[in-house]
Coordinates of all heavy atoms in Angstrom, one line a residue:
M1 N -21.7 -29.2 68.5 CA -21.5 -27.8 68.2 C -20.1 -27.4 68.8 O -19.4 -26.6 68.2 CB -22.6 -26.9 68.8 CG -22.3 -25.4 68.6 SD -23.6 -24.8 67.6 CE -23.2 -23.1 67.7
R2 N -19.9 -27.9 70.0 CA -18.6 -27.5 70.7 C -17.4 -28.0 69.9 O -16.4 -27.3 69.7 CB -18.6 -28.1 72.1 CG -17.4 -27.7 72.8 CD -17.5 -28.3 74.2 NE -16.2 -28.0 74.9 CZ -16.0 -27.4 76.0 NH1 -17.1 -27.1 76.7 NH2 -14.8 -27.3 76.5
T3 N -17.5 -29.2 69.3 CA -16.4 -29.8 68.5 C -16.2 -29.0 67.2 O -15.1 -28.8 66.8 CB -16.7 -31.3 68.2 OG1 -17.9 -31.4 67.5 CG2 -16.6 -32.1 69.4
Q4 N -17.3 -28.5 66.6 CA -17.1 -27.7 65.4 C -16.4 -26.4 65.8 O -15.6 -25.9 65.0 CB -18.5 -27.4 64.8 CG -19.2 -28.5 64.2 CD -20.6 -28.2 63.6 OE1 -21.2 -27.3 64.1 NE2 -21.0 -29.0 62.6
F5 N -16.8 -25.8 66.9 CA -16.1 -24.6 67.3 C -14.6 -24.8 67.4 O -13.8 -24.0 67.0 CB -16.7 -24.1 68.7 CG -16.0 -23.0 69.2 CD1 -16.3 -21.6 68.8 CD2 -15.1 -23.1 70.3 CE1 -15.5 -20.6 69.3 CE2 -14.4 -22.0 70.8 CZ -14.6 -20.8 70.3
F6 N -14.2 -25.8 68.1 CA -12.8 -26.1 68.3 C -12.1 -26.5 67.0 O -10.9 -26.3 66.9 CB -12.5 -27.1 69.4 CG -12.7 -26.5 70.8 CD1 -13.8 -26.8 71.6 CD2 -11.8 -25.5 71.3 CE1 -13.9 -26.3 72.8 CE2 -12.0 -24.9 72.5 CZ -13.0 -25.3 73.3
E7 N -12.8 -27.0 66.0 CA -12.2 -27.3 64.7 C -11.9 -26.0 64.0 O -10.9 -25.9 63.4 CB -13.2 -28.2 63.9 CG -13.2 -29.6 64.4 CD -14.2 -30.4 63.5 OE1 -14.8 -29.9 62.5 OE2 -14.5 -31.6 63.9
L8 N -12.9 -25.1 64.1 CA -12.7 -23.8 63.4 C -11.7 -22.9 64.2 O -10.9 -22.2 63.6 CB -14.0 -23.1 63.3 CG -15.0 -23.7 62.3 CD1 -16.4 -23.0 62.4 CD2 -14.5 -23.6 60.9
Y9 N -11.7 -22.9 65.5 CA -10.9 -22.1 66.3 C -10.2 -22.9 67.4 O -10.6 -22.9 68.5 CB -11.7 -21.0 67.0 CG -12.6 -20.2 66.0 CD1 -13.9 -20.4 65.9 CD2 -11.9 -19.3 65.1 CE1 -14.7 -19.7 65.0 CE2 -12.7 -18.6 64.2 CZ -14.1 -18.8 64.1 OH -14.8 -18.1 63.2
P10 N -9.1 -23.6 67.0 CA -8.4 -24.5 68.0 C -7.9 -23.8 69.2 O -7.8 -24.4 70.3 CB -7.3 -25.1 67.2 CG -7.4 -24.6 65.8 CD -8.5 -23.6 65.7
S11 N -7.6 -22.5 69.1 CA -7.1 -21.8 70.2 C -8.2 -21.5 71.2 O -7.9 -21.1 72.4 CB -6.4 -20.5 69.8 OG -7.4 -19.6 69.2
G12 N -9.4 -21.6 70.8 CA -10.6 -21.2 71.6 C -10.9 -19.7 71.6 O -11.8 -19.3 72.3
H13 N -10.2 -19.0 70.8 CA -10.4 -17.5 70.7 C -11.2 -17.2 69.4 O -10.7 -17.6 68.3 CB -9.1 -16.8 70.8 CG -9.2 -15.4 70.5 ND1 -10.2 -14.6 71.0 CD2 -8.3 -14.5 69.8 CE1 -9.9 -13.4 70.6 NE2 -8.9 -13.3 69.9
I14 N -12.3 -16.5 69.5 CA -13.1 -16.2 68.3 C -12.5 -14.8 67.9 O -12.5 -13.8 68.6 CB -14.6 -16.0 68.7 CG1 -15.1 -17.4 69.2 CG2 -15.3 -15.6 67.5 CD1 -16.5 -17.3 69.7
P15 N -12.2 -14.7 66.5 CA -11.8 -13.4 66.0 C -12.9 -12.4 66.0 O -14.0 -12.8 65.9 CB -11.2 -13.7 64.6 CG -11.6 -15.1 64.4 CD -12.1 -15.8 65.6
T16 N -12.5 -11.1 66.1 CA -13.5 -10.1 66.0 C -14.0 -9.9 64.6 O -13.4 -10.3 63.6 CB -12.9 -8.7 66.5 OG1 -11.9 -8.3 65.6 CG2 -12.4 -8.8 67.9
V17 N -15.2 -9.3 64.5 CA -15.7 -9.0 63.2 C -14.8 -8.2 62.3 O -14.6 -8.4 61.1 CB -17.2 -8.4 63.3 CG1 -17.7 -7.9 62.0 CG2 -18.1 -9.3 64.0
E18 N -14.2 -7.2 62.9 CA -13.3 -6.3 62.2 C -12.1 -7.1 61.6 O -11.7 -6.8 60.5 CB -12.8 -5.2 63.1 CG -13.9 -4.1 63.5 CD -14.7 -4.6 64.7 OE1 -14.3 -5.5 65.4 OE2 -15.8 -4.0 64.9
K19 N -11.6 -8.0 62.5 CA -10.4 -8.8 62.0 C -10.8 -9.6 60.9 O -10.1 -9.8 59.9 CB -9.9 -9.6 63.2 CG -8.6 -10.3 62.9 CD -8.0 -11.0 64.1 CE -6.7 -11.7 63.8 NZ -6.1 -12.3 64.9
L20 N -12.0 -10.3 61.0 CA -12.5 -11.1 59.9 C -12.7 -10.3 58.6 O -12.4 -10.8 57.5 CB -13.7 -11.8 60.3 CG -13.6 -12.9 61.3 CD1 -14.9 -13.5 61.8 CD2 -12.7 -14.1 60.8
E21 N -13.3 -9.1 58.7 CA -13.5 -8.3 57.6 C -12.2 -7.9 56.9 O -12.1 -7.9 55.7 CB -14.3 -7.1 58.0 CG -15.8 -7.3 58.2 CD -16.6 -6.1 58.7 OE1 -16.0 -5.1 59.1 OE2 -17.8 -6.2 58.7
K22 N -11.2 -7.6 57.7 CA -9.9 -7.2 57.2 C -9.3 -8.4 56.5 O -8.7 -8.3 55.4 CB -8.9 -6.8 58.3 CG -9.2 -5.4 58.8 CD -8.2 -5.0 59.9 CE -8.6 -3.7 60.5 NZ -7.6 -3.3 61.6
S23 N -9.5 -9.6 57.1 CA -9.0 -10.8 56.4 C -9.6 -11.1 55.1 O -9.0 -11.4 54.1 CB -9.2 -12.0 57.4 OG -8.7 -13.2 56.8
I24 N -10.9 -10.9 55.1 CA -11.7 -11.1 53.8 C -11.3 -10.1 52.8 O -11.1 -10.4 51.6 CB -13.2 -11.0 54.1 CG1 -13.7 -12.2 54.9 CG2 -14.0 -10.9 52.8 CD1 -15.1 -12.0 55.5
T25 N -11.1 -8.8 53.2 CA -10.7 -7.8 52.2 C -9.3 -8.1 51.6 O -9.1 -8.0 50.4 CB -10.6 -6.4 52.9 OG1 -11.9 -6.1 53.4 CG2 -10.2 -5.3 51.9
A26 N -8.4 -8.6 52.5 CA -7.0 -8.9 52.0 C -7.1 -10.1 51.1 O -6.4 -10.1 50.1 CB -6.1 -9.3 53.2
L27 N -7.9 -11.1 51.4 CA -8.1 -12.3 50.5 C -8.7 -11.9 49.2 O -8.3 -12.4 48.2 CB -8.9 -13.4 51.2 CG -8.2 -14.1 52.4 CD1 -9.2 -15.0 53.1 CD2 -7.0 -14.9 51.9
R28 N -9.6 -11.0 49.2 CA -10.2 -10.5 47.9 C -9.2 -9.8 47.1 O -9.2 -10.0 45.8 CB -11.4 -9.6 48.2 CG -12.6 -10.4 48.6 CD -13.9 -9.6 48.8 NE -15.0 -10.4 49.1 CZ -16.1 -10.0 49.8 NH1 -16.1 -8.7 50.1 NH2 -17.1 -10.8 50.0
K29 N -8.4 -9.0 47.7 CA -7.3 -8.3 46.9 C -6.3 -9.3 46.3 O -5.9 -9.1 45.2 CB -6.6 -7.3 47.8 CG -7.4 -6.1 48.2 CD -6.6 -5.1 49.0 CE -7.4 -3.9 49.4 NZ -6.7 -3.0 50.3
K30 N -6.0 -10.3 47.2 CA -5.1 -11.3 46.7 C -5.7 -12.1 45.5 O -5.0 -12.3 44.5 CB -4.7 -12.3 47.8 CG -3.7 -13.3 47.5 CD -3.3 -14.1 48.7 CE -2.3 -15.2 48.4 NZ -1.9 -16.0 49.5
L31 N -7.0 -12.4 45.6 CA -7.6 -13.1 44.6 C -7.7 -12.3 43.3 O -7.5 -12.8 42.2 CB -9.1 -13.5 45.0 CG -10.0 -14.2 44.0 CD1 -9.4 -15.5 43.6 CD2 -11.4 -14.3 44.5
S32 N -8.0 -11.0 43.4 CA -8.0 -10.1 42.3 C -6.7 -10.1 41.6 O -6.6 -10.1 40.4 CB -8.5 -8.7 42.7 OG -8.5 -7.8 41.7
A33 N -5.6 -9.9 42.4 CA -4.3 -9.9 41.8 C -4.0 -11.2 41.1 O -3.4 -11.2 40.0 CB -3.3 -9.6 42.9
M34 N -4.3 -12.3 41.7 CA -4.0 -13.6 41.1 C -4.9 -13.8 39.8 O -4.4 -14.4 38.9 CB -4.4 -14.8 42.1 CG -3.3 -14.8 43.2 SD -3.8 -16.0 44.5 CE -3.0 -17.4 43.7
N35 N -6.1 -13.3 39.8 CA -7.0 -13.4 38.6 C -6.3 -12.6 37.5 O -6.3 -13.0 36.3 CB -8.4 -12.9 38.9 CG -9.2 -14.0 39.5 OD1 -9.0 -15.2 39.4 ND2 -10.3 -13.6 40.2
T36 N -5.8 -11.4 37.8 CA -5.2 -10.6 36.8 C -4.0 -11.3 36.2 O -3.8 -11.3 35.0 CB -4.7 -9.2 37.4 OG1 -5.9 -8.6 37.9 CG2 -4.1 -8.4 36.4
E37 N -3.2 -11.9 37.1 CA -2.0 -12.6 36.7 C -2.4 -13.8 35.8 O -1.8 -14.1 34.8 CB -1.2 -13.1 37.9 CG 0.1 -13.8 37.6 CD 0.8 -14.2 38.9 OE1 0.6 -13.6 40.0 OE2 1.6 -15.1 38.8
Y38 N -3.4 -14.5 36.2 CA -3.9 -15.7 35.4 C -4.3 -15.2 34.1 O -4.0 -15.9 33.1 CB -5.0 -16.4 36.2 CG -5.7 -17.4 35.4 CD1 -5.1 -18.7 35.2 CD2 -6.9 -17.2 34.7 CE1 -5.7 -19.6 34.3 CE2 -7.5 -18.1 33.9 CZ -6.9 -19.3 33.7 OH -7.5 -20.3 32.9
N39 N -5.1 -14.2 34.0 CA -5.6 -13.7 32.7 C -4.5 -13.3 31.8 O -4.6 -13.6 30.6 CB -6.6 -12.6 32.9 CG -7.9 -13.0 33.6 OD1 -8.3 -14.2 33.4 ND2 -8.6 -12.1 34.2
Q40 N -3.5 -12.7 32.3 CA -2.4 -12.3 31.5 C -1.6 -13.5 31.0 O -1.2 -13.6 29.8 CB -1.4 -11.4 32.2 CG -1.9 -10.0 32.6 CD -1.0 -9.2 33.5 OE1 -0.1 -9.7 34.1 NE2 -1.3 -7.9 33.6
A41 N -1.4 -14.5 31.8 CA -0.7 -15.7 31.5 C -1.6 -16.5 30.4 O -1.0 -17.0 29.4 CB -0.5 -16.6 32.7
D42 N -2.9 -16.5 30.6 CA -3.8 -17.2 29.7 C -3.7 -16.5 28.3 O -3.7 -17.2 27.3 CB -5.2 -17.2 30.2 CG -6.2 -18.0 29.4 OD1 -5.9 -19.2 29.1 OD2 -7.2 -17.4 29.0
K43 N -3.7 -15.2 28.3 CA -3.7 -14.5 27.1 C -2.4 -14.8 26.3 O -2.4 -15.0 25.1 CB -3.9 -13.0 27.3 CG -3.8 -12.1 26.1 CD -3.9 -10.6 26.5 CE -3.9 -9.8 25.2 NZ -4.0 -8.3 25.5
K44 N -1.3 -14.7 27.0 CA 0.0 -15.0 26.5 C 0.1 -16.5 25.9 O 0.6 -16.7 24.8 CB 1.1 -14.8 27.5 CG 2.5 -15.0 26.9 CD 2.8 -13.8 26.0 CE 4.3 -13.8 25.6 NZ 4.6 -12.9 24.6
A45 N -0.5 -17.4 26.7 CA -0.5 -18.8 26.2 C -1.3 -18.9 24.9 O -0.9 -19.7 24.0 CB -1.1 -19.7 27.3
R46 N -2.5 -18.2 24.8 CA -3.3 -18.3 23.6 C -2.5 -17.7 22.5 O -2.6 -18.2 21.3 CB -4.6 -17.6 23.9 CG -5.5 -18.3 24.8 CD -6.8 -17.5 25.1 NE -7.5 -18.1 26.1 CZ -8.5 -19.0 25.9 NH1 -8.8 -19.4 24.7 NH2 -9.2 -19.5 27.0
E47 N -1.8 -16.6 22.7 CA -1.0 -15.9 21.6 C 0.0 -16.9 21.1 O 0.3 -17.0 19.9 CB -0.4 -14.6 22.1 CG -1.4 -13.5 22.3 CD -0.7 -12.3 23.0 OE1 0.4 -12.3 23.3 OE2 -1.5 -11.3 23.2
L48 N 0.7 -17.5 22.0 CA 1.8 -18.4 21.6 C 1.3 -19.7 20.9 O 1.9 -20.1 19.9 CB 2.6 -18.9 22.9 CG 3.4 -17.8 23.6 CD1 4.0 -18.4 24.9 CD2 4.6 -17.3 22.7
A49 N 0.1 -20.2 21.3 CA -0.5 -21.3 20.6 C -0.9 -20.9 19.2 O -0.7 -21.6 18.3 CB -1.7 -21.8 21.4
D50 N -1.4 -19.7 19.1 CA -1.8 -19.2 17.8 C -0.6 -19.0 16.9 O -0.6 -19.4 15.7 CB -2.6 -17.8 17.9 CG -3.1 -17.4 16.6 OD1 -3.7 -18.2 15.9 OD2 -3.1 -16.1 16.3
A51 N 0.5 -18.5 17.4 CA 1.7 -18.3 16.7 C 2.2 -19.7 16.3 O 2.7 -19.9 15.1 CB 2.7 -17.6 17.5
Q52 N 2.2 -20.7 17.2 CA 2.6 -22.0 16.8 C 1.8 -22.6 15.7 O 2.4 -23.2 14.7 CB 2.6 -22.9 18.0 CG 3.0 -24.4 17.8 CD 2.9 -25.2 19.0 OE1 2.4 -24.8 20.0 NE2 3.4 -26.4 18.9
R53 N 0.5 -22.4 15.7 CA -0.3 -22.9 14.5 C 0.0 -22.2 13.3 O 0.1 -22.9 12.2 CB -1.8 -22.7 14.9 CG -2.4 -23.8 15.8 CD -3.9 -23.7 15.8 NE -4.4 -22.5 16.4 CZ -4.5 -22.2 17.7 NH1 -4.1 -23.1 18.6 NH2 -4.9 -21.0 18.1
T54 N 0.3 -20.9 13.3 CA 0.6 -20.2 12.1 C 1.9 -20.7 11.5 O 2.0 -20.9 10.3 CB 0.7 -18.7 12.5 OG1 -0.5 -18.2 13.0 CG2 1.1 -17.9 11.2
I55 N 2.9 -20.9 12.4 CA 4.2 -21.4 11.9 C 4.1 -22.8 11.3 O 4.7 -23.1 10.3 CB 5.2 -21.3 13.1 CG1 5.6 -19.9 13.4 CG2 6.5 -22.1 12.7 CD1 6.4 -19.8 14.7
E56 N 3.3 -23.6 12.0 CA 3.1 -25.0 11.5 C 2.4 -25.0 10.1 O 2.8 -25.7 9.2 CB 2.4 -25.8 12.5 CG 3.2 -26.2 13.7 CD 2.3 -26.9 14.8 OE1 1.0 -26.9 14.6 OE2 2.9 -27.3 15.8
D57 N 1.4 -24.1 9.9 CA 0.7 -24.0 8.7 C 1.7 -23.5 7.6 O 1.7 -24.0 6.4 CB -0.5 -23.0 8.7 CG -1.6 -23.6 9.5 OD1 -1.6 -24.8 9.8 OD2 -2.5 -22.8 10.0
Y58 N 2.5 -22.5 7.9 CA 3.5 -22.0 6.9 C 4.5 -23.1 6.6 O 4.8 -23.3 5.3 CB 4.3 -20.8 7.6 CG 5.4 -20.3 6.7 CD1 5.1 -19.5 5.6 CD2 6.7 -20.7 7.0 CE1 6.2 -19.1 4.8 CE2 7.7 -20.2 6.2 CZ 7.5 -19.5 5.1 OH 8.5 -19.0 4.3
L59 N 5.0 -23.8 7.5 CA 5.9 -24.9 7.2 C 5.3 -26.0 6.4 O 5.9 -26.5 5.5 CB 6.5 -25.5 8.5 CG 7.4 -24.5 9.3 CD1 7.8 -25.2 10.6 CD2 8.7 -24.1 8.4
R60 N 4.1 -26.3 6.6 CA 3.3 -27.3 5.8 C 3.2 -26.8 4.3 O 3.4 -27.6 3.4 CB 2.0 -27.6 6.4 CG 1.9 -28.8 7.2 CD 0.5 -29.3 7.5 NE 0.4 -29.3 9.0 CZ -0.2 -28.3 9.7 NH1 -0.8 -27.4 9.2 NH2 -0.2 -28.4 11.0
Q61 N 2.9 -25.5 4.2 CA 2.7 -25.0 2.8 C 4.1 -25.0 2.1 O 4.1 -25.4 0.9 CB 2.2 -23.6 2.9 CG 0.8 -23.4 3.3 CD 0.4 -22.0 3.5 OE1 1.1 -21.1 3.4 NE2 -0.9 -21.8 3.8
E62 N 5.2 -24.7 2.8 CA 6.5 -24.7 2.2 C 6.9 -26.1 1.8 O 7.5 -26.3 0.7 CB 7.5 -24.1 3.1 CG 7.4 -22.6 3.3 CD 7.6 -21.8 2.0 OE1 8.6 -22.1 1.3 OE2 6.8 -21.0 1.7
Q63 N 6.6 -27.0 2.6 CA 6.9 -28.4 2.3 C 6.1 -28.9 1.1 O 6.6 -29.6 0.3 CB 6.6 -29.3 3.5 CG 7.0 -30.7 3.4 CD 6.7 -31.6 4.6 OE1 5.8 -31.2 5.4 NE2 7.4 -32.7 4.8
S64 N 4.9 -28.5 1.1 CA 4.0 -28.9 -0.1 C 4.6 -28.3 -1.4 O 4.6 -28.9 -2.4 CB 2.6 -28.4 0.2 OG 1.8 -28.7 -0.9
R65 N 5.0 -27.0 -1.3 CA 5.6 -26.4 -2.5 C 6.8 -27.1 -3.0 O 7.1 -27.3 -4.1 CB 5.8 -24.9 -2.2 CG 4.7 -24.0 -2.1 CD 5.1 -22.6 -1.9 NE 3.9 -21.9 -1.5 CZ 3.9 -20.8 -0.7 NH1 5.0 -20.3 -0.3 NH2 2.7 -20.2 -0.5
D66 N 7.7 -27.4 -2.0 CA 8.9 -28.1 -2.3 C 8.7 -29.5 -3.0 O 9.3 -29.8 -4.0 CB 9.8 -28.4 -1.1 CG 10.4 -27.1 -0.5 OD1 10.4 -26.0 -1.3 OD2 10.9 -27.1 0.6
Q67 N 7.6 -30.2 -2.5 CA 7.3 -31.5 -3.1 C 6.8 -31.3 -4.5 O 7.1 -32.1 -5.4 CB 6.3 -32.2 -2.2 CG 6.9 -32.8 -0.9 CD 5.8 -33.4 0.0 OE1 4.7 -33.4 -0.3 NE2 6.3 -33.9 1.1
Q68 N 5.9 -30.2 -4.7 CA 5.4 -30.0 -6.0 C 6.6 -29.7 -7.0 O 6.6 -30.1 -8.2 CB 4.4 -28.9 -6.0 CG 3.1 -29.2 -5.4 CD 2.2 -28.1 -5.2 OE1 2.5 -26.9 -5.5 NE2 1.0 -28.3 -4.7
K69 N 7.5 -28.9 -6.5 CA 8.7 -28.6 -7.4 C 9.4 -29.8 -7.7 O 9.9 -30.0 -8.9 CB 9.6 -27.6 -6.7 CG 9.1 -26.2 -6.6 CD 10.0 -25.3 -5.9 CE 9.5 -23.8 -5.8 NZ 10.4 -23.0 -5.0
K70 N 9.6 -30.7 -6.8 CA 10.4 -32.0 -7.1 C 9.6 -32.8 -8.1 O 10.2 -33.4 -9.0 CB 10.6 -32.7 -5.8 CG 11.6 -32.1 -4.9 CD 11.8 -33.0 -3.6 CE 12.8 -32.3 -2.7 NZ 12.9 -33.1 -1.4
R71 N 8.3 -32.8 -8.0 CA 7.5 -33.6 -8.9 C 7.6 -33.1 -10.3 O 7.7 -33.8 -11.3 CB 6.0 -33.7 -8.5 CG 5.8 -34.5 -7.3 CD 4.3 -34.5 -7.0 NE 4.1 -35.1 -5.6 CZ 3.3 -34.8 -4.7 NH1 2.4 -33.7 -5.0 NH2 3.1 -35.3 -3.6
K72 N 7.6 -31.8 -10.4 CA 7.7 -31.1 -11.8 C 9.0 -31.4 -12.4 O 9.1 -31.7 -13.6 CB 7.5 -29.6 -11.7 CG 6.0 -29.2 -11.4 CD 5.8 -27.7 -11.4 CE 4.5 -27.3 -11.1 NZ 4.2 -25.9 -11.0
R73 N 10.1 -31.4 -11.6 CA 11.4 -31.7 -12.1 C 11.5 -33.2 -12.6 O 12.1 -33.4 -13.6 CB 12.5 -31.5 -11.0 CG 12.8 -30.0 -10.7 CD 14.0 -29.9 -9.7 NE 13.8 -28.7 -9.0 CZ 14.2 -28.5 -7.8 NH1 14.9 -29.4 -7.1 NH2 14.1 -27.3 -7.2
N74 N 10.9 -34.1 -11.8 CA 10.9 -35.5 -12.2 C 10.1 -35.6 -13.4 O 10.4 -36.5 -14.2 CB 10.4 -36.3 -11.1 CG 11.3 -36.4 -9.9 OD1 12.6 -36.2 -10.1 ND2 10.8 -36.8 -8.7
D75 N 9.0 -34.9 -13.6 CA 8.2 -35.1 -14.8 C 9.0 -34.6 -16.1 O 8.8 -35.2 -17.2 CB 6.9 -34.3 -14.7 CG 5.9 -34.9 -13.7 OD1 6.1 -36.1 -13.4 OD2 5.0 -34.2 -13.3
L76 N 9.7 -33.6 -15.9 CA 10.5 -33.0 -17.0 C 11.6 -33.9 -17.5 O 12.0 -34.0 -18.6 CB 11.1 -31.7 -16.7 CG 10.0 -30.5 -16.5 CD1 10.8 -29.3 -16.1 CD2 9.3 -30.3 -17.8
E77 N 12.2 -34.7 -16.6 CA 13.3 -35.6 -16.9 C 12.8 -36.8 -17.6 O 12.7 -37.4 -18.4 CB 14.0 -36.0 -15.6 CG 14.7 -34.9 -14.9 CD 15.3 -35.3 -13.6 OE1 15.3 -36.5 -13.3 OE2 15.9 -34.5 -12.9

């Protein structure tokens, strides 16, 4: 038990309950801010991925149309 105590508190000084509560509150605020930042970044990443898929679909359709036009020209010749 003594070794565990010194692992947790190497200085040998136990923080007060108030100090620990303040630390917990600060960490919760930091976590909340980081979660908000993560959620915004995740939303933006999803929007960008969706936009990329939309552009790729559009380009595939255009390529397909161009190929069909070339086939029709070759059939007429």
Side-chain angles (χ1 to χ4, degrees):
M1 175 121 175
R2 182 179 173 128
T3 56
Q4 288 178 335
F5 172 80
F6 282 112
E7 285 176 9
L8 292 172
Y9 308 105
S11 67
H13 173 38
I14 300 173
T16 63
V17 173
E18 292 83 15
K19 187 174 181 179
L20 289 172
E21 286 175 346
K22 286 180 184 178
S23 177
I24 290 170
T25 301
L27 288 171
R28 284 186 178 153
K29 286 181 183 178
K30 185 176 179 180
L31 177 63
S32 177
M34 291 175 83
N35 277 338
T36 301
E37 185 179 335
Y38 170 81
N39 289 336
Q40 290 173 347
D42 184 55
K43 182 179 177 183
K44 185 68 173 176
R46 289 175 191 269
E47 288 173 359
L48 291 173
D50 187 41
Q52 181 181 7
R53 279 191 299 276
T54 302
I55 291 169
E56 288 172 352
D57 289 344
Y58 173 77
L59 292 175
R60 261 191 240 104
Q61 288 175 356
E62 288 299 310
Q63 186 179 22
S64 176
R65 286 182 193 152
D66 289 345
Q67 287 176 356
Q68 287 175 356
K69 286 180 183 178
K70 287 180 184 178
R71 286 183 193 142
K72 285 181 183 178
R73 284 187 209 150
N74 288 338
D75 288 345
L76 292 176
E77 293 177 0

